[in-house]
């Protein structure tokens, strides 16, 4: 195992999702998020097989107790398998995983997405091939999710749920500014030209004192948290991609992406947008909730749930603007399970039974999907929120799934390039740097890590 590289990746990786921090709840057989070793299970004297699950804090899976009902249902069918849960978070979870793997006490199962499970751990030869699960039950999972769950023809992620990241507007502020005319309220889409007009209308309304908002929008570039929002904004404006089709190069310096960055720089200069070199997404989200800005570029149902109660306006989910009016949104997830190859076939078989149960038993799976707050990857399951009290609130986020674009987070050097993206934005948006030069420098440095 290339543990030296795993260790480096683990220390560098710190993907922030703007979700609730990990709690310390304990359940029977569960460990708090700060607890030490969670070694793979072993056969007990009673003949039970013990397996350990380390779960990132995705949606409502913030504490070990969130898994109780799922494990209880699983044990009704599999009483000879004991599952222990260790919650981990995005602040130090990677370091904990790296330390455990290096010390030979890594978990049997990890709950996360392809960026780690496929992009990091499968590439290092640490994961079990889950192709048999896909063959048995994966026929109704969308092609895009299928593609990012595998490496070199073998499947290492079995997914549970996914959603699309989007943006949001302050509906009442846009209405008062006369900017609603520039959006399609039914499809939640808008063109780049109309985005520019809308933000100028908001700027003019602010200057006239007719709306209680400080700035039209904030391009946050102080840290990597929520960087999917600024990437999607840039890439959609002129219908380009963050990486080339074959994944051999980062693409921020393409003609269309440079055109998009130049447009945003011009908008900052004319006051229809602002930039903040000390803000990450969480700061921008709070500013949106406080009506400091009229749009947020980092929105999804989880963020709605966290911030909506603070708002005195209607957060109206929108796709990112694009020149042709057809957005391609980044995927939140897919989130699911990978199984570490801990060289114990009994544990591997038990882990596969658990993953199969949570992801493919529709009763258990729907419960698990709802806990994530996202949407099922199984198209056959339909609208799992149809009877929910907040079905009308969730509907726009379900609509965004129609606009999912290419998942490129498995490109080599992904962790390293994230640390380069926001300084480039800050240079362009806050110092007036030449856009092409800054984008070229970013691509040169990012490509050096592709390997």
């Amino acid at each position: 195992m290339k543990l030296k590289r795993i260790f480096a990746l683990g220390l560098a990786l710190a993907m922030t999702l703007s979700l609730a921090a990990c709690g310390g709840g304990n359940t029977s057989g569960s460990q708090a998020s700060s607890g030490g070793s969670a070694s793979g299970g072993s056969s007990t004297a009673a003949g039970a097989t013990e397996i350990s699950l380390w779960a990132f804090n995705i949606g409502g899976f913030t504490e070990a107790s969130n898994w109780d009902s799922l494990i209880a249902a699983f044990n009704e069918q599999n009483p000879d398998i004991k599952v222990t849960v260790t919650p981990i978070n995005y602040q130090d979870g990677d370091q904990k995983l790296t330390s455990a793997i290096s010390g030979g006490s890594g978990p049997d199962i990890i709950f996360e997405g392809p960026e780690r499970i496929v992009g990091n751990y499968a590439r290092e030869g640490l994961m079990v091939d889950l192709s048999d699960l896909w063959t048995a039950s994966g026929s109704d999972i969308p092609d895009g999710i299928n593609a990012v769950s595998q490496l070199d023809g073998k499947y290492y992620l079995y997914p549970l749920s996914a959603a699309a990241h989007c943006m949001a507007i302050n509906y009442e502020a846009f209405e008062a500014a006369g900017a609603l005319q520039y959006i399609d309220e039914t499809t939640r889409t808008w063109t780049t030209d109309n985005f520019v007009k809308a933000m100028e209308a908001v700027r003019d309304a602010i200057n006239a004192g007719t709306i209680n908002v400080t700035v039209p929008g904030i391009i946050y570039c102080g840290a990597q948290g929520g960087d999917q929002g600024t990437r999607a904004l840039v890439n959609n404006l002129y219908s380009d991609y963050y990486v080339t089709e074959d994944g051999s190069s980062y693409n921020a310096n393409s003609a269309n992406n440079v055109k998009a960055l130049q447009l945003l720089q011009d908008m900052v200069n004319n006051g229809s947008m602002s930039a903040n070199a000390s803000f990450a997404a969480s700061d921008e989200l709070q500013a949106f909730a406080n009506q400091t800005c009229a749009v947020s570029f980092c929105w999804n149902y989880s963020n709605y749930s966290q911030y909506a109660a603070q708002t005195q306006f209607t957060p109206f989910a929108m796709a990112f603007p694009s020149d042709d009016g057809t957005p391609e949104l980044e995927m939140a997830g897919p989130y699911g399970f990978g199984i570490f190859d801990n060289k114990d076939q009994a544990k591997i078989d038990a882990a596969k039974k658990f993953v199969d149960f949570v992801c493919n038993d529709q009763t258990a799976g729907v419960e698990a999907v709802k806990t994530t707050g996202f949407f099922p990857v199984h198209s056959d399951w339909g609208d799992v929120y149809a009877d929910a009290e907040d079905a009308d609130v969730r509907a726009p986020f379900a609509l965004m799934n129609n606009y999912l674009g290419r998942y490129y987070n498995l490109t080599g050097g992904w962790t390293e390039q994230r640390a380069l993206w926001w300084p480039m934005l800050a240079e362009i948006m806050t110092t007036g740097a030449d856009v092409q030069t800054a984008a070229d420098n970013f691509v040169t440095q990012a490509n050096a890590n592709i390997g």
Side-chain angles (χ1 to χ4, degrees):
M1 298 184 296
K2 304 174 185 177
L3 290 173
K4 183 176 180 181
R5 182 166 177 260
I6 279 285
F7 183 74
L9 285 169
L11 289 175
L13 194 57
M15 184 178 71
T16 303
L17 295 180
S18 299
L19 301 173
C22 167
N26 279 318
T27 69
S28 175
S30 300
Q31 298 184 32
S33 61
S34 62
S37 173
S39 61
S42 60
S43 295
T44 67
T49 300
E50 297 182 16
I51 55 174
S52 59
L53 163 65
W54 282 25
F56 276 91
N57 53 321
I58 295 164
F61 283 115
T62 58
E63 299 184 11
S65 59
N66 300 134
W67 294 89
D68 279 359
S69 59
L70 290 168
I71 293 173
F74 173 70
N75 283 148
E76 288 181 5
Q77 299 181 22
N78 302 274
D80 58 338
I81 299 173
K82 179 182 178 182
V83 183
T84 62
V85 179
T86 297
I88 53 177
N89 59 52
Y90 290 104
Q91 282 67 52
D92 60 6
D94 292 299
Q95 292 93 320
K96 289 181 177 180
L97 274 165
T98 298
S99 177
I101 293 169
S102 299
S105 60
D108 298 301
I109 308 172
I110 180 174
F111 180 57
E112 229 290 276
E115 183 177 342
R116 286 173 174 79
I117 293 174
V118 179
N120 288 351
Y121 298 120
R123 278 204 174 113
E124 298 297 334
L126 302 177
M127 308 305 291
V128 171
D129 182 2
L130 303 181
S131 296
D132 52 343
L133 297 183
W134 277 87
T135 299
S137 304
S139 61
D140 67 329
I141 297 175
D143 290 343
I145 296 175
N146 181 305
V148 301
S149 299
Q150 56 179 296
L151 178 69
D152 298 331
K154 295 181 180 180
Y155 291 90
Y156 296 102
L157 169 74
Y158 199 86
L160 172 69
S161 65
H165 290 295
C166 60
M167 62 175 292
I169 65 171
N170 178 325
Y171 189 89
E172 286 77 14
F174 267 57
E175 184 175 39
L180 290 181
Q181 63 180 304
Y182 300 119
I183 71 173
D184 186 322
E185 294 189 42
T186 301
T187 64
R188 308 280 179 131
T189 60
W190 45 354
T191 64
T192 297
D193 287 344
N194 280 339
F195 167 69
V196 171
K197 292 175 183 177
M199 300 314 293
E200 289 176 347
V202 172
R203 174 200 63 194
D204 295 344
I206 292 171
N207 292 338
T210 56
I211 61 174
N212 187 28
V213 175
T214 305
V215 295
I218 301 170
I219 300 173
Y220 51 91
C221 42
Q224 69 184 30
D227 54 359
Q228 76 279 348
T230 51
R231 289 196 305 265
L233 175 63
V234 171
N235 297 157
N236 272 279
L237 285 172
Y238 294 104
S239 300
D240 213 331
Y241 294 98
Y242 196 62
V243 299
T244 56
E245 185 70 31
D246 62 1
S248 63
S249 174
Y250 288 95
N251 202 41
N253 63 345
S254 70
N256 282 337
N257 282 332
V258 167
K259 185 178 179 182
L261 289 164
Q262 184 65 63
L263 173 65
L264 293 174
Q265 187 187 64
D266 292 343
M267 293 177 71
V268 170
N269 290 339
N270 69 31
S272 60
M273 191 64 64
S274 68
N276 194 313
S278 66
F279 270 29
S282 59
D283 304 298
E284 185 248 26
L285 283 162
Q286 191 61 63
F288 180 60
N290 295 342
Q291 298 192 77
T292 299
C293 56
V295 302
S296 172
F297 298 120
C298 187
W299 204 242
N300 52 42
Y301 180 78
S302 293
N303 287 343
Y304 169 85
S305 299
Q306 182 175 353
Y307 291 95
Q310 305 177 37
T311 65
Q312 301 298 314
F313 61 91
T314 304
F316 192 81
M318 287 290 298
F320 287 92
S322 60
D323 54 347
D324 59 1
T326 304
E328 292 194 32
L329 304 184
E330 286 204 24
M331 190 182 302
Y335 297 111
F337 301 88
I339 298 175
F340 283 98
D341 186 1
N342 287 331
K343 309 303 180 184
D344 186 322
Q345 193 59 47
K347 292 192 301 177
I348 291 171
D349 292 342
K352 283 187 177 182
K353 284 184 179 181
F354 180 77
V355 171
D356 181 54
F357 177 80
V358 174
C359 294
N360 293 324
D361 179 283
Q362 190 164 349
T363 300
V366 167
E367 178 187 345
V369 167
K370 288 181 176 180
T371 304
T372 68
F374 297 121
F375 299 89
V377 297
H378 284 299
S379 58
D380 290 350
W381 290 6
D383 183 0
V384 301
Y385 298 108
D387 298 326
E389 292 183 0
D390 63 347
D392 58 332
V393 172
R394 290 182 181 272
F397 299 101
L399 175 65
M400 296 300 163
N401 287 352
N402 296 330
Y403 307 134
L404 282 174
R406 204 170 78 200
Y407 188 92
Y408 48 74
N409 300 31
L410 299 183
T411 305
W414 182 256
T415 301
E416 293 84 358
Q417 69 76 30
R418 291 188 70 200
L420 300 168
W421 171 253
W422 56 269
M424 180 199 70
L425 278 184
E427 182 183 8
I428 292 172
M429 302 302 163
T430 67
T431 73
D434 179 75
V435 174
Q436 186 71 61
T437 300
D440 286 343
N441 289 339
F442 165 81
V443 169
T444 297
Q445 295 176 71
N447 284 350
N449 297 302
I450 287 181

